[in-house]
Amino acid sequence: MSQQHLDRLTAIDASFLHQEGPTSHMHVGALALFEGPAPLFTEVLDALRGRLHLVPRYRQKLSVPPAATGRPLWIDDPSFNIEYHVRHTALPRPGSEDQLLRLAGRIFSQQLDRSKPLWEMWMVEGLREGGFALITKTHHALIDGVAGVDLAQVIFDLGPVPVEIPHPDAAWQPEPEPSSAEVLAAGAVGLLRTGARTAAAAAALAARPGDALRSARTALEGLGEVAWAGLNPAPETPLNVEIGPHRRFRVVRNDLADFKAVKDAFGGTVNDVVLAVVSGALRGWLQSRGVRTEGLELRALVPVSIRSQDERGTTGNRIAAMRGPLPVYIEDPVARLRTVKASMDGLKESKQAVGAEVLASVQNFAPPTVLAQASRLNFSTRLFNLIVTNIPGPQFPLYLRGRQVLDVFPVAFLPKDHALAIAIMSYNGRMNFGLLGDYDALPDIDVVGDGIRASLAELLTLARDRAREREAAGV
């Protein structure tokens, strides 16, 4: 799908604009560490300039129709300047990782300027261990996690020798900024196109009445399950308090092979192991706060990509959300994992994700004021305690100007009244966690990070014990 001047935001993308507030920033991103020495800043700028034509949305800004008469549109930014979006800085001595994480926290504490394209990239030098870092920040209205990985593969190289990317002979020229009447007309065209696509899909289903009946039944069941979930709010915890605009950021390094070893020993998926590990970490953190965990099950908002293969590489959001269990009441780590697996298997067989997608589709026809309310209903913050998002990344090394990416730590966002979000990304054999916390509500965020390490280590020890028992038994 091309990224055109005057494209209308999808309902899901627009909902991320509606959900943003003074303390709930709706941008996401990543911290990437590279081997050194750092390239010249001008080299980085030139590398990005040579590839921006592959992602036109990065040179487009929002245009809001008069009197909120329609969803915003993407338009070319006539004053686009890459040096505004790509910044260059260095850590003071000694250049520790803690200093780098504090810088990342400050960057993610600041909202993006909606009058410009909704992204930033910071090149950071002065790291004590050598190398350099890139901190990227992009509004969730522009891109979701899975598409972000695809774009990283566009921006970065697959080998140490930079690849020459074909580009248009003529320099980029922005389209003229549209008048209010043109914005209104473009919005109406976008609505008609959405209606035409929906009508074509309906006609195709009408030709297959059996499929149409099954689709309708599935959609109704999904909406029913979403409605039922809305009647069952998540429990009150110290994670769900009023938050401010300031953030803390911490990282946890892991090996993907360790998660696979636990999965192979006890069953389930890598994502089940992730949720079990997070459950163990939060159990310890709650107990450190003096919170009783008996009978307590937290609820995680687990985004699920519904992007099809032919949509890979496109921007915009193609996600639905499932509410996964975090059984912090279970002391035994294996029993905790098996409970997560059973619950997630049940959710996958349910119609919860289908219902979320149906709501998003219905919103494509909603007026902006109704859309704002519907997006909050679909993403009601009282239904979950924290976001836990697991992003599958490339299992091969990436490079920038010949420098290999060593580690990638994803950054999620904090919705209103949510003090912690955990993002996980697999990359080149690693399984790294990025913990984003409210600065004031979560001064002990390191306890959660230490708990993730301890929880995984406990499961891994048990998995290795089981492997040895099976080997001894000749299984």
Side-chain angles (χ1 to χ4, degrees), residues 108 145 212 232 393 412 418:
F108 278 85
N232 294 271
H418 285 66

Side-chain angles (χ1 to χ4, degrees), residues 338-359:
R338 286 173 173 158
T339 298
V340 167
K341 176 186 180 304
S343 298
M344 290 304 292
D345 286 347
L347 283 177
K348 291 168 188 172
E349 292 171 2
S350 76
K351 306 299 188 298
Q352 192 181 107
V354 174
E357 187 183 2
V358 169
L359 277 178

Side-chain angles (χ1 to χ4, degrees), residues 152 252 443:
V252 182

Side-chain angles (χ1 to χ4, degrees), residues 52-337:
L52 273 179
H53 66 281
L54 301 174
V55 282
R57 198 71 84 222
Y58 275 51
R59 291 189 291 210
Q60 294 175 340
K61 63 179 182 177
L62 293 171
S63 179
V64 180
T69 51
R71 290 203 302 272
L73 295 96
W74 297 110
I75 64 170
D76 290 349
D77 181 7
S79 59
F80 177 78
N81 182 350
I82 194 171
E83 294 187 32
Y84 168 83
H85 295 275
V86 185
R87 287 96 183 273
H88 191 195
T89 189
L91 298 176
R93 292 183 179 178
S96 66
E97 185 166 276
D98 186 61
Q99 289 175 296
L100 177 62
L101 298 180
R102 287 204 300 270
L103 173 63
R106 286 195 295 273
I107 289 172
F108 278 85
S109 299
Q110 302 164 4
Q111 289 190 345
L112 290 160
D113 184 349
R114 289 200 185 183
S115 70
K116 299 181 181 297
L118 297 177
W119 67 281
E120 293 175 2
M121 177 181 291
W122 295 68
M123 179 179 173
V124 186
E125 297 189 61
L127 279 62
R128 181 171 58 192
E129 304 302 326
F132 65 102
L134 284 182
I135 300 172
T136 59
K137 184 170 79 171
T138 307
H139 201 285
H140 216 319
L142 176 63
I143 186 170
D144 67 62
V146 173
V149 172
D150 291 341
L151 286 171
Q153 293 174 20
V154 169
I155 295 171
F156 298 137
D157 293 306
L158 304 183
V161 178
V163 176
E164 289 296 325
I165 301 295
H167 56 82
D169 294 330
W172 176 72
Q173 292 293 329
E175 295 288 339
E177 194 152 358
S179 65
S180 297
E182 289 171 325
V183 170
L184 280 172
V189 169
L191 183 61
L192 288 173
R193 286 174 179 164
T194 301
R197 285 194 296 268
T198 304
L205 281 176
R208 304 187 305 275
D211 291 346
L213 184 59
R214 282 189 291 273
S215 297
R217 185 183 300 116
T218 299
L220 288 174
E221 290 174 357
L223 290 171
E225 292 193 22
V226 169
W228 174 250
L231 297 175
N232 294 271
E236 294 183 6
T237 74
L239 291 175
N240 306 115
V241 294
E242 185 176 348
I243 63 172
H246 307 298
R247 302 289 180 260
R248 297 178 187 269
F249 186 60
R250 292 294 183 271
V251 301
V252 182
R253 292 175 172 85
N254 299 293
D255 289 328
L256 178 59
D258 291 343
F259 285 83
K260 290 182 176 180
V262 173
K263 168 188 73 73
D264 293 342
F266 302 115
T269 65
V270 166
N271 200 52
D272 293 339
V273 179
V274 165
L275 292 178
V277 165
V278 170
S279 298
L282 291 178
R283 172 184 167 85
W285 175 79
L286 288 167
Q287 291 176 343
S288 76
R289 288 277 189 110
V291 177
R292 296 179 64 90
T293 56
E294 293 87 347
L296 181 62
E297 181 172 280
L298 305 190
R299 204 173 295 168
L301 187 76
V302 184
V304 178
S305 174
I306 54 175
R307 187 180 303 279
S308 62
Q309 280 298 116
D310 59 0
E311 292 174 317
R312 291 186 65 82
T314 61
T315 51
N317 291 278
R318 292 284 292 137
I319 56 174
M322 297 171 63
R323 295 167 186 88
L326 299 174
V328 298
Y329 65 91
I330 299 177
E331 181 178 3
D332 180 79
V334 176
R336 195 184 305 133
L337 171 57

